[in-house]
Amino acid sequence: FEDMVVVEYMLSIVQRLPYLGPIYGGLREGVSIYLQGTIPENINRFFINLLCGESESSDIALHFNPRFDGRDKVVFNTCQNGSWESEEKIHSMPFCKGQAFEMIILVSSHGYKIKVNGNDFHHFKHRIPFERVCAMQIAGDVSIQTINVIGVMGGQPIYNPPVPFSNMIPGGMFPKRTIIIRGMVPYGGDRMSINFVVSRSRDIAFHLNPRVREGVVVRNSMIGGCWGQEEREISMNPFMEGQYFDMSIRCGNGRFKVFVNGQHLFDFVHRFQSCNEIDMLEIDGNVQISYIHF
């Protein structure tokens, strides 16, 4: 498992539409589905369905259907045994023509909590047990860049945190633990830093420092107030202005393994005595963070 790129609680994909695919492991309380996409100028409508099977004729536990029809609204519904139930119509449109969006579907014990661009939008109560959901369908006038299915292992994700960011890592780092960070380098952004810190001593066990204009990703550590030797060699630089990135940082027995956008970027050999003492994550610089999953 040391070389796994995708951990079991995260599915990251870029898809052409229409899309119909499985949700590996299904849904459970605390799971969230993160979507990032763009609304075209000539939109009419699109939909997102959470299905109880992997065919278009399966029961639909959640039907999410924005409609730009002159009386803009979002329709929620379910469909069982081929029959649609009563619609819930929200006469408020959280999407804008020609603009990008971020959307989250959070599974709670009572229903699906929908957020768009960081704002609470609607809570659709369960009509079909969420345990039956095993697939997702997306079609219509929308462009989807990324779908992430994030589970509850290791705690809840943090969405849209402000930068600078500093937070304790629940349970600390340990072998085989993976931290997921999704974000974007804004236009004009030059550099950022991601630090894995020992809070009691303020030692930086792992310093990850993408420098956009130089086209390098610097790695280092700072122990006892002294910086170590920089590491700069990489086969590619995935950090570019205006581009989203998905980063997976996995703590191994002897090293950190870093993947970006599904590709192995580098390994960083542990310089600190024990990775178990690493208990804080800090992020600073020119970066916008969509979410962090511990």
Side-chain angles (χ1 to χ4, degrees):
F1 293 94
E2 195 67 19
D3 293 320
M4 285 181 63
V5 177
V6 181
V7 291
E8 67 175 298
Y9 51 76
M10 179 175 179
L11 169 66
S12 182
I13 55 179
V14 178
Q15 286 291 344
R16 294 181 178 179
L17 299 184
Y19 168 76
L20 196 162
I23 298 175
Y24 296 103
L27 297 183
R28 56 195 181 279
E29 186 177 353
V31 165
S32 57
I33 301 171
Y34 172 93
L35 301 100
Q36 188 267 330
T38 305
I39 302 296
E41 291 283 357
N42 60 345
I43 183 175
N44 181 14
R45 62 178 64 186
F46 72 94
F47 67 81
I48 300 170
N49 289 338
L50 298 184
L51 303 175
C52 300
E54 294 187 32
S55 71
E56 295 184 1
S57 60
S58 302
D59 286 351
I60 302 172
L62 170 65
H63 175 68
F64 176 85
N65 179 209
R67 300 177 185 177
F68 289 76
D69 54 7
R71 301 179 62 186
D72 295 355
K73 56 186 171 292
V74 178
V75 174
F76 291 82
N77 209 341
T78 58
C79 182
Q80 298 193 65
N81 301 316
S83 298
W84 288 101
E85 299 185 357
S86 59
E87 292 183 340
E88 292 182 20
K89 296 179 181 179
I90 310 300
H91 290 276
S92 174
M93 180 56 66
F95 304 100
C96 296
K97 294 181 179 180
Q99 293 190 14
F101 69 88
E102 294 181 328
M103 175 178 166
I104 299 162
I105 304 172
L106 175 63
V107 183
S108 73
S109 58
H110 301 292
Y112 300 100
K113 297 179 180 179
I114 312 297
K115 290 190 173 209
V116 180
N117 296 328
N119 300 313
D120 292 333
F121 180 66
H122 186 58
H123 185 196
F124 182 74
K125 293 182 179 179
H126 294 304
R127 302 178 185 178
I128 295 175
F130 62 79
E131 292 87 353
R132 291 184 55 199
V133 173
C134 62
M136 178 186 298
Q137 180 185 20
I138 306 175
D141 305 322
V142 66
S143 173
I144 298 293
Q145 280 75 57
T146 305
I147 306 169
N148 292 347
V149 179
I150 312 170
V152 296
M153 294 179 62
Q156 295 290 340
I158 299 174
Y159 291 105
N160 303 308
V163 176
F165 170 84
S166 179
N167 203 86
M168 299 300 291
I169 300 171
M173 294 301 290
F174 48 81
K176 297 187 178 179
R177 180 161 199 176
T178 300
I179 307 294
I180 304 295
I181 302 172
R182 176 173 171 78
M184 184 187 74
V185 180
Y187 287 104
D190 179 20
R191 63 177 64 188
M192 61 175 155
S193 63
I194 299 172
N195 292 330
F196 286 81
V197 179
V198 179
S199 62
R200 63 172 179 80
S201 63
R202 297 302 303 168
D203 287 340
I204 300 175
F206 177 30
H207 171 71
L208 194 162
N209 177 213
R211 301 179 184 179
V212 177
R213 293 173 191 168
E214 294 181 47
V216 299
V217 179
V218 175
R219 294 88 72 190
N220 208 337
S221 60
M222 186 183 72
I223 300 174
C226 299
W227 286 103
Q229 184 174 354
E230 289 186 347
E231 299 177 16
R232 290 175 168 244
E233 298 77 15
I234 52 172
S235 59
M236 60 175 180
N237 178 26
F239 301 99
M240 302 177 65
E241 293 182 56
Q243 298 293 315
Y244 282 92
F245 62 84
D246 280 300
M247 182 184 300
S248 165
I249 303 172
R250 182 177 175 84
C251 182
N253 287 313
R255 68 198 67 219
F256 287 98
K257 300 182 74 69
V258 178
F259 298 84
V260 180
N261 301 332
Q263 300 294 318
H264 177 247
L265 189 61
F266 61 81
D267 289 355
F268 182 78
V269 175
H270 292 314
R271 300 177 182 177
F272 204 77
Q273 186 173 3
S274 173
C275 67
N276 299 86
E277 296 185 57
I278 302 168
D279 58 0
M280 179 175 285
L281 176 68
E282 296 182 343
I283 302 175
D284 201 356
N286 309 127
V287 63
Q288 298 172 4
I289 301 299
S290 299
Y291 67 74
I292 301 167
H293 191 280
F294 292 107

